[in-house]
């Protein structure tokens, strides 16, 4: 073993190559100390440890990933070349681990905005629904320039329901920034996005975010992430990832948790060094895979993707191919590249860059824009199958047409099939009747976002309860299982464990998290058991539990599951609710309606306190007699429950429907099923 000293107070301990590199590949700079000095790995050709004094702000390490072997054949490899002035990266993470906030800081420090320009928080979440819910739903492109290198950045959703969006985007990039919370560590969606990135062979930089949290535990997080790499069969080169410690909201990053730089310089430097430039066929025939589509009122459909080979020019005649080798001809009318926070017109785009193409009206995601004469299609984009389905039908309530603009089955059909053009993970099939459609998605949230968007566009329709999509293999019924992680304070752990046990969940891990007395429970549970679970867990934990789920696999049918013990209170007749009627009705359960609201026969107006449904007259008026009363009785009404769209979809059962209109969300009994049971 040789020890060498350098003038910058850094010395390294070099060890010969060991027979088992997997066990000795150190993942990143850890926060523990050896001989009073911070240490970090340097995965060079010889495995070695580098020790540095805390006086140095940050030190970049050479990344093995950038030297990873290519899978291309020697003939193909000779034609391919690296483009060093461009980096294409996707920022992936579990929900709420700080992706969008980190992108905000990267944009600010790259001087994308003027110093006196007002910039709102989470600027990448431009959709109204994204801002209201505080989540990212659609992936978005932007770019920055750092030291003459253009970095194309794609912000991706964190919810597992939008995993199809992430799978699609990974076709456009060569590397990912895997953002991990400094307290929570790798979560279910972290595993999903990392698995997909490793399958593509992408380089990975791990960003331990929110390092300024009081209960941060960076050493545990990096070790857990390293274990996750090994679980997912990452190569030795991928396991030698660069770790960066950052605070996205403060805009600081560094190579050790105690020694952050004043800006995100170490992060930018790591992107340049550890993420390889795009490998392109510069003189080859044009090939561009369309991975995203936007719509503009003036320009029409805009196809977004990365050029794999050749070049694109404004006014160029091209061939548009599908995976089945059926091709058609088109012309590029306009061409854009991403510069800073907007699209900038371009006359010509070289291979390796991400661009937006206008002029092809019928372009679809997954198609290839190729050279007119000798162009060949690229492999189509594959996404995982949906696991949950819901029935959409026209509105059949007495209030149909009061608020909505689009109410017919033709309107509904056109809108649902239009959604398929952009939403690859969704499926739409015709139902039993001409006015019913079965919509399948990755989860209830995936379909609920579609319902909310349609509602805001002026559509009126009804949706049934979510159902899981089962499979039959060798005459055995299989159902989807998911991994559920629940963060809950110890005082409420008992009631949460009991609730998950009733829904056929099997616990396989339990551990304490941080110093706040919080426990992390991990369960394997049927997707059926998750329907309606979110509200039940919040009730059991008094609003303190956090539930995260992700699809795991198909397994044998787990048995019957009871999800709701209480029945519904159903309106007895059409009319307007009165205080007099509600005062007596609220003794039977919790009400959804307040006085002065129009209701119809069969509408669900409350939750019954016992099993089974109960019909009530909530429109009854006090009898006006000629008998004088000394004083009108003061009526004290309970505050009605205010259920959101997500709550209503979780609440309804097999014989119930949710009526969705632009201004109202109501629940009712399904009249078709009601007639069958009589």
């Amino acid at each position: 073993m040789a020890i060498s000293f350098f003038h910058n107070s850094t010395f390294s301990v070099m060890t010969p190559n060991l027979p088992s590199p997997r066990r000795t590949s150190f993942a990143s700079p850890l926060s523990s100390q050896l001989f009073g000095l911070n240490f970090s790995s340097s995965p060079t050709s010889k495995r070695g440890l580098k020790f540095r004094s805390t006086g140095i702000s940050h030190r970049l390490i050479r990344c093995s990933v950038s030297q990873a072997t290519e899978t291309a054949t020697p003939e193909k490899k000779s034609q391919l070349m690296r483009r060093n002035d461009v980096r294409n990266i996707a920022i992936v993470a579990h929900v709420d681990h700080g992706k969008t906030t980190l992108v905000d800081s990267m944009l600010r420090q790259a001087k994308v905005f003027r110093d006196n320009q007002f910039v709102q928080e989470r600027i990448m979440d431009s959709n109204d629904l994204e801002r209201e819910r505080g989540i990212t739903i659609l992936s978005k492109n932007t770019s920055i320039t750092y030291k003459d290198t253009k970095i194309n950045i794609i912000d991706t959703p964190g919810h597992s329901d939008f995993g199809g969006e992430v799978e699609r985007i990974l076709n456009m990039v060569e590397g990912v920034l895997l953002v991990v919370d400094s307290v929570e560590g790798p979560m279910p969606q972290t595993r999903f996005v990392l698995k997909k990135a490793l399958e593509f062979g992408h380089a990975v930089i791990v960003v331990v975010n929110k390092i300024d949290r009081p209960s941060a535990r960076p050493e545990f997080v990096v070790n857990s992430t390293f274990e996750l790499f090994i679980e997912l069969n990452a190569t030795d080169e991928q396991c030698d990832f660069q770790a960066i410690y950052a605070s996205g909201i403060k805009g600081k990053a560094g190579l050790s948790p105690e020694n952050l730089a004043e800006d995100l310089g170490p992060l930018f430097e790591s992107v340049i060094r550890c993420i390889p430039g795009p490998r392109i066929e510069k003189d080859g025939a044009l090939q561009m895979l369309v991975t995203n589509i936007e719509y503009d009122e003036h320009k029409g459909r805009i196809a977004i993707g990365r050029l794999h080979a050749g070049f694109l020019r404004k006014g160029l005649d091209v061939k548009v191919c599908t995976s089945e080798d059926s091709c058609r001809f088109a012309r590029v009318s306009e061409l854009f590249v991403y510069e800073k926070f907007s699209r900038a017109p371009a006359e010509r785009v070289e291979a390796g860059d991400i661009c937006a193409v206008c002029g092809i009206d019928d372009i679809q995601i997954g198609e290839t824009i190729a050279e007119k004469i000798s162009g060949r299609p690229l492999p189509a984009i594959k996404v995982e199958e949906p696991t949950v389905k819901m029935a959409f039908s026209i509105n059949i309530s007495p209030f149909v047409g009061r608020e909505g603009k689009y109410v017919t089955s033709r309107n509904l059909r056109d809108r649902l099939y239009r959604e398929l053009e952009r939403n690859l993970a969704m499926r739409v099939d015709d139902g039993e009747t001409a006015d019913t459609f079965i919509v399948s998605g990755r989860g209830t949230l995936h379909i609920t976002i579609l319902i909310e968007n349609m509602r805001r566009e002026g559509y009126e329709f009804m949706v049934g309860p979510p159902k899981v999509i089962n499979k039959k293999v060798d005459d055995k019924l299989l159902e989807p299982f998911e991994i559920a992680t629940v963060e809950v304070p110890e005082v409420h752990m008992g009631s949460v464990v009991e609730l998950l046990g009733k829904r056929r969940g099997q616990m396989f891990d339990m551990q304490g998290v941080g110093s706040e007395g919080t426990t992390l429970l991990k369960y394997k549970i049927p997707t059926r058991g998750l329907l309606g679970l979110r509200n039940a867990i919040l009730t059991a934990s008094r609003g303190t539990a956090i539930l995260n789920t992700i699809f795991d696999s198909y397994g044998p049918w787990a048995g019957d599951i009871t999800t709701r013990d209480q029945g519904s209170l159903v309106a007895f007749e059409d009319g307007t609710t009165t205080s007099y009627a509600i005062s007596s009705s609220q003794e039977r359960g919790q009400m959804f309606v307040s006085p002065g609201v129009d209701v119809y026969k069969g509408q669900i107006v409350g939750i019954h306190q016992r099993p089974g449904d109960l019909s009530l007259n909530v429109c009854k008026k006090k009898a006006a007699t000629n008998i004088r009363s000394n004083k009108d009785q003061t009526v004290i009404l309970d505050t009605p429950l205010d259920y959101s769209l997500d709550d209503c979809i979780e609440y309804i059962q097999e014989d119930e429907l949710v009526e969705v209109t632009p201004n109202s969300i109501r629940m009712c009994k399904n009249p078709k099923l009601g007639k069958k049971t009589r």
Side-chain angles (χ1 to χ4, degrees):
M1 182 181 289
I3 301 178
S4 57
F5 291 88
F6 298 87
H7 294 295
N8 59 0
S9 72
T10 304
F11 66 92
S12 63
V13 183
M14 303 306 296
T15 60
N17 282 326
L18 297 174
S20 179
R22 173 76 46 99
R23 281 178 304 199
T24 58
S25 63
F26 292 91
S28 70
L30 300 179
S31 64
S32 57
Q33 298 199 346
L34 188 62
F35 306 133
L37 299 172
N38 292 328
F39 71 91
S40 70
S41 71
S42 176
T44 51
S45 58
K46 292 182 178 180
R47 303 272 175 179
L49 300 178
K50 281 196 175 178
F51 298 85
R52 69 178 179 281
S53 70
T54 52
I56 298 174
S57 60
H58 59 270
R59 182 179 177 85
L60 293 169
I61 66 170
R62 182 182 171 194
C63 295
S64 299
V65 199
S66 57
Q67 311 298 326
T69 55
E70 295 295 331
T71 55
T73 59
E75 297 83 8
K76 185 79 174 173
K77 195 173 177 182
S78 63
Q79 300 173 11
L80 298 177
M81 56 174 285
R82 284 267 183 231
R83 189 173 166 185
N84 292 320
D85 60 335
V86 174
R87 298 291 186 276
N88 299 318
I89 61 169
I91 300 191
V92 297
H94 187 77
V95 61
D96 283 341
H97 279 198
K99 296 180 299 299
T100 307
T101 308
L102 184 65
V103 174
D104 278 4
S105 293
M106 292 173 79
L107 290 171
R108 283 194 181 91
Q109 294 190 18
K111 300 296 181 188
V112 169
F113 311 109
R114 298 190 316 273
D115 292 338
N116 63 345
Q117 185 175 348
F118 171 74
V119 182
Q120 59 192 6
E121 263 187 31
R122 301 195 325 275
I123 190 165
M124 295 295 282
D125 288 346
S126 51
N127 190 329
D128 288 342
L129 208 50
E130 291 178 321
R131 294 206 150 277
E132 287 173 24
R133 291 175 178 251
I135 60 174
T136 303
I137 297 169
L138 303 172
S139 56
K140 298 173 197 68
N141 298 53
T142 187
S143 82
I144 59 175
T145 303
Y146 181 77
K147 292 186 177 177
D148 300 324
T149 302
K150 180 181 180 183
I151 304 175
N152 287 308
I153 302 171
I154 306 173
D155 186 22
T156 63
H159 276 85
S160 57
D161 289 42
F162 310 116
E165 196 83 4
V166 181
E167 288 176 76
R168 193 176 72 203
I169 291 309
L170 290 176
N171 281 281
M172 294 167 68
V173 299
E174 285 77 38
V176 297
L177 295 188
L178 182 70
V179 181
V180 188
D181 188 283
S182 65
V183 177
E184 294 179 354
M187 296 291 278
Q189 182 69 359
T190 313
R191 184 188 185 92
F192 173 80
V193 294
L194 180 59
K195 178 186 171 191
K196 293 296 172 188
L198 294 176
E199 284 175 2
F200 277 94
H202 290 335
V204 181
I205 296 176
V206 175
V207 180
V208 182
N209 197 23
K210 304 185 184 180
I211 198 68
D212 51 344
R213 287 181 67 174
S215 52
R217 42 182 191 162
E219 184 175 349
F220 164 81
V221 169
V222 170
N223 286 337
S224 301
T225 308
F226 181 58
E227 288 168 11
L228 185 60
F229 270 75
I230 294 174
E231 277 179 45
L232 296 174
N233 296 321
T235 64
D236 288 338
E237 289 81 10
Q238 288 171 326
C239 283
D240 284 326
F241 56 80
Q242 168 78 66
I244 298 291
Y245 302 88
S247 169
I249 200 161
K250 290 183 178 177
K252 295 182 177 182
L255 291 183
S256 73
E258 300 90 0
N259 204 0
L260 301 184
E262 289 303 311
D263 56 17
L264 293 174
L267 177 60
F268 290 131
E269 292 286 348
S270 299
V271 169
I272 302 297
R273 289 179 64 83
C274 298
I275 305 292
R279 185 170 276 278
I280 59 168
E281 196 175 344
K282 189 173 182 181
D283 300 322
L286 165 66
Q287 279 186 316
M288 171 183 160
L289 184 67
V290 179
T291 48
N292 210 348
I293 281 179
E294 290 182 5
Y295 186 81
D296 186 277
E297 290 183 2
H298 303 290
K299 299 180 178 64
R301 291 169 79 85
I302 302 173
I304 300 168
R306 194 193 82 187
L307 253 70
H308 289 260
F311 67 91
L312 255 180
R313 192 180 66 245
K314 188 176 175 181
L316 185 69
D317 288 324
V318 294
K319 184 164 64 174
V320 180
C321 302
T322 62
S323 55
E324 291 84 25
D325 291 339
S326 58
C327 299
R328 59 192 186 278
F329 296 104
R331 173 172 287 183
V332 177
S333 63
E334 287 188 80
L335 197 57
F336 297 90
V337 292
Y338 288 89
E339 282 188 8
K340 298 187 176 179
F341 195 62
S342 58
R343 287 195 297 259
E347 289 295 323
R348 179 186 171 105
V349 177
E350 299 287 342
D353 207 350
I354 293 173
C355 65
V357 177
C358 304
I360 309 172
D361 294 333
D362 55 351
I363 191 79
Q364 302 286 345
I365 291 175
E367 292 186 326
T368 303
I369 298 174
E371 207 266 328
K372 187 176 180 181
I373 299 169
S374 58
R376 296 173 61 188
L378 289 162
I381 300 171
K382 293 180 181 177
V383 295
E384 292 190 6
E385 293 295 311
T387 56
V388 173
K389 62 183 178 181
M390 292 171 69
F392 284 52
S393 62
I394 59 169
N395 191 356
I396 53 173
S397 84
F399 296 165
V400 61
R402 283 192 182 185
E403 301 169 3
K405 186 178 176 184
Y406 308 106
V407 294
T408 65
S409 59
R410 181 179 292 176
N411 296 143
L412 188 60
R413 182 190 185 88
D414 290 348
R415 176 63 181 84
L416 290 175
Y417 279 97
R418 197 162 69 243
E419 182 69 18
L420 295 183
E421 294 174 1
R422 180 186 173 87
N423 208 329
L424 287 192
M426 196 167 271
R427 303 277 184 276
V428 176
D429 301 298
D430 292 334
E432 295 176 356
T433 59
D435 53 13
T436 306
F437 306 95
I438 306 299
V439 179
S440 308
R442 282 283 184 85
T444 49
L445 181 64
H446 189 197
I447 304 176
T448 303
I449 294 296
L450 168 64
I451 296 170
E452 184 65 40
N453 280 326
M454 290 174 64
R455 182 169 92 91
R456 295 180 183 208
E457 291 166 17
Y459 286 84
E460 255 190 41
F461 53 98
M462 285 186 160
V463 292
K467 300 175 184 176
V468 298
I469 300 173
N470 299 319
K471 283 184 179 178
K472 267 203 169 184
V473 179
D474 300 330
D475 291 331
K476 289 183 180 178
L477 185 63
L478 303 180
E479 65 172 332
F481 279 78
E482 304 202 17
I483 300 296
T485 61
V486 186
E487 279 182 68
V488 61
E490 288 179 5
V491 290
H492 301 301
M493 195 170 73
S495 52
V496 170
V497 168
E498 182 186 359
L499 181 64
L500 288 162
K502 285 181 180 176
R503 291 173 177 252
R504 307 280 180 177
Q506 294 183 337
M507 187 194 298
F508 64 87
D509 190 19
M510 180 173 72
Q511 54 183 290
V513 179
S515 57
E516 296 110 351
T518 304
T519 304
L520 184 70
L521 307 172
K522 292 189 180 180
Y523 277 82
K524 186 172 182 179
I525 185 170
T527 304
R528 282 182 303 134
L530 293 172
L531 303 178
L533 181 63
R534 203 170 296 273
N535 272 338
I537 274 194
L538 286 174
T539 305
S541 64
R542 299 191 179 179
T544 55
I546 300 171
L547 172 68
N548 290 294
T549 61
I550 191 157
F551 174 74
D552 180 54
S553 60
Y554 274 83
W557 180 260
D560 292 332
I561 296 173
T562 54
T563 54
R564 201 177 85 194
D565 299 328
Q566 297 166 306
S568 299
L569 300 176
V570 184
F572 183 70
E573 63 179 5
D574 299 359
T576 305
T577 56
T578 63
S579 308
Y580 177 70
I582 290 178
S583 64
S584 56
S585 300
Q586 67 186 14
E587 297 171 6
R588 308 283 186 162
Q590 293 175 288
M591 305 300 293
F592 290 138
V593 293
S594 52
V597 175
D598 289 342
V599 296
Y600 55 84
K601 184 179 180 181
Q603 182 178 334
I604 296 172
V605 293
I607 303 174
H608 193 200
Q609 59 192 5
R610 293 190 177 88
D613 297 336
L614 179 67
S615 293
L616 291 174
N617 188 354
V618 288
C619 305
K620 182 171 58 177
K621 295 178 182 175
K622 189 174 181 181
T625 66
N626 59 356
I627 300 172
R628 181 183 296 174
S629 61
N630 293 330
K631 184 184 176 185
D632 279 343
Q633 188 178 359
T634 305
V635 177
I636 301 174
L637 298 179
D638 297 335
T639 305
L641 295 172
D642 185 18
Y643 267 22
S644 66
L645 175 62
D646 303 66
D647 297 332
C648 290
I649 286 172
E650 280 196 358
Y651 175 81
I652 58 171
Q653 289 193 319
E654 191 68 32
D655 62 337
E656 295 167 347
L657 298 169
V658 177
E659 178 191 354
V660 181
T661 69
N663 301 329
S664 311
I665 297 168
R666 307 181 189 93
M667 292 178 284
C668 64
K669 305 302 285 186
N670 190 337
K672 294 176 183 175
L673 292 180
K675 287 173 186 172
K676 289 179 184 176
T677 55
R678 281 181 194 138

